[in-house]
Amino acid sequence: MKIIKKSLVVGLLAVLQVTSSFAQEKSDVKKLDDDQRMEWWRDSKFGMFIHWGAYSIIGGERGTQIAGGGAEWAMDKLDYTIEDYEKFPEMFNPTMFDADAWVTMAKNAGMKYIVITAKHHEGFALWDSKVSDYDVIDKAPFKRDVIKELSEACKKQGIKFCFYYSIVDWHHPQAQGNLYPNYNISQHDDPTVVNPKFPKYYKNYMKPQVKELLTNYGDVGVVWFDGDWISDYTTEMGKDLYSYIRDIQPNTIVNNRVDKGRTGMDGMNNNPGQFAGDFGTPEQEIPDTGIDSDWEACMTMNGSWGYKPSDTDWKSSEDLIQKLVDIVSKGGNFLLNIGPDGFGRFPSESIRRLNAMGEWTQKNGEAIYGASASPYAKPKWGRYTKKDGVLYAHVFDWPETGTLKLHKDIKVKKATVLTDSKTVLKSLATSREVVLEVPMLAPDATVSVIKIELAN
Ligand code: H79
């Protein structure tokens, strides 16, 4: 899956450089090779997704109706016409928005990057876009450039700033706007349900907006596209867009939804080399086993991406910590979502979970950041991660017996509880198994980590 093959990239770039009609500033940033370019992202493991827009005012409710699923789909699910919906951007005034506080919360949770919805399917842009009036400066009373404030706060606090951009646009007349209110996601693979003007939207609106985001807000870690499924959008556009982005910011990472390679909600490409994009994007699911290519699972804490007070079905902090470990043990990244409300606040339930994850990563981060997939199958009691000559055993179900059974091939040089490096645990290897003597009580209430230095 990993990226389009190098030869293809080079070929594509060459073609685009010759045929390119758009003028753009060439970056003088040193161009990294793909492994160097992906390095910070691969090591980061844990990022924050932020879904924020005019839908954050609505909270998924209209009269007696409650939108099923994600509340960021309010415009579609609650049957707003374009005209009716515009009143929400017109009242978007989240004066409690504090970019520095948001970034601090991400950082304290142990997250290394932030991906914010610069524009979701509703079409409302959270920055000062020059190609649109449907943005936070021109349309909303807020008149503050959210992307500017957040990107600057990220830079200041050493977090990678990244943005999400939806290819789907329910507001733009040359995109899905013309189909409203008859737009229907089930038509996504019906080639007759397209807007013939979509290529104009792509060229004169979408690309210029993406360019603004890549030009005016400093270094961008990741560009995270979505809405790739619509039949209006083609693989030619995807490949063109990928090159366009890398031309403006050569070291930016782009998800696989930039092209048409994604096969479903499992988010992976079936045909490596045929589609643009640097990593796969499983949505609301974690693959059963490790995958030998770059991927990132994105997930909500309750069931909605956008703010939705009626959804109180929150995953526990323990579950979220175990999901992080599970993902890292399979070689992926975890992009965990927050849906701030229309005032600019993170839900208290989300903050509590961020805090719990921060407490855990603070103590056990060594076994997460920069770690790679487990070389062994899932043990019954939890997961393994690996880094250099060290194996980490993440114990979800602490044994009551005082002994932990490790995979028989593990050659223990020294084992300790990660948070207690002074107490060396005894190990016993037989031909059938390796057994560690561990404390009777679990060292950590959620996931206890044992650090095992390997005797190669
Ligand atoms: O922003 C959040 C959601 O609003 C957005 N993605 C996350 C990150 C999202 N939009 N739509 N969906 C999620 C669900 C769409 C599922 C489907 Fe399909 C699109 C079903 C059919 C078309 C993708 C492509 C899955 C199968 C084919």
Side-chain angles (χ1 to χ4, degrees), residues 49 51 72-73 120-121 164 185 188 224 226 229 257 262 264-265 283 305:
F49 217 169
H51 274 70
E72 72 287 357
W73 275 67
H120 203 267
H121 310 340
Y164 166 112
I185 194 170
H188 76 282
W224 214 105
D226 202 3
W229 62 79
R257 300 188 189 187
R262 180 164 70 118
M265 298 302 267
E283 179 167 330
W305 301 94

Side-chain angles (χ1 to χ4, degrees), residues 287-420:
D288 287 335
T289 59
I291 297 174
D292 194 21
S293 60
D294 293 303
W295 61 277
E296 172 190 71
C298 57
M299 214 172 266
T300 51
M301 287 188 180
N302 55 2
S304 177
W305 301 94
Y307 177 65
K308 190 178 186 187
S310 63
D311 184 344
T312 56
D313 191 11
W314 297 92
K315 296 174 184 75
S316 69
S317 301
E318 181 180 26
D319 185 16
L320 292 170
I321 291 166
Q322 293 186 354
K323 282 183 161 60
L324 172 64
V325 172
D326 185 29
I327 288 165
V328 176
S329 83
K330 294 167 180 169
N333 279 13
F334 192 21
L335 188 63
L336 182 58
N337 184 71
I338 302 289
D341 71 10
F343 299 104
R345 298 177 299 183
F346 283 11
S348 58
E349 295 285 0
S350 303
I351 298 174
R352 282 184 222 167
R353 283 155 182 79
L354 291 175
N355 289 346
M357 296 188 84
E359 263 178 53
W360 189 86
T361 51
Q362 189 76 40
K363 284 186 275 182
N364 300 291
E366 180 190 320
I368 295 292
Y369 307 113
S372 44
S374 166
Y376 307 110
K378 270 184 233 173
K380 285 202 183 73
W381 40 256
R383 300 288 183 275
Y384 293 111
T385 62
K386 191 169 189 274
K387 192 156 72 180
D388 305 320
V390 180
L391 190 71
Y392 299 93
H394 299 253
V395 187
F396 297 180
D397 300 309
W398 192 257
E400 287 166 4
T401 55
T403 58
L404 186 74
K405 282 186 188 167
L406 303 178
H407 192 278
K408 64 176 172 42
D409 297 340
I410 295 172
K411 299 202 168 40
V412 181
K413 186 160 92 186
K414 182 186 170 192
T416 63
V417 172
L418 179 58
T419 49
D420 176 13

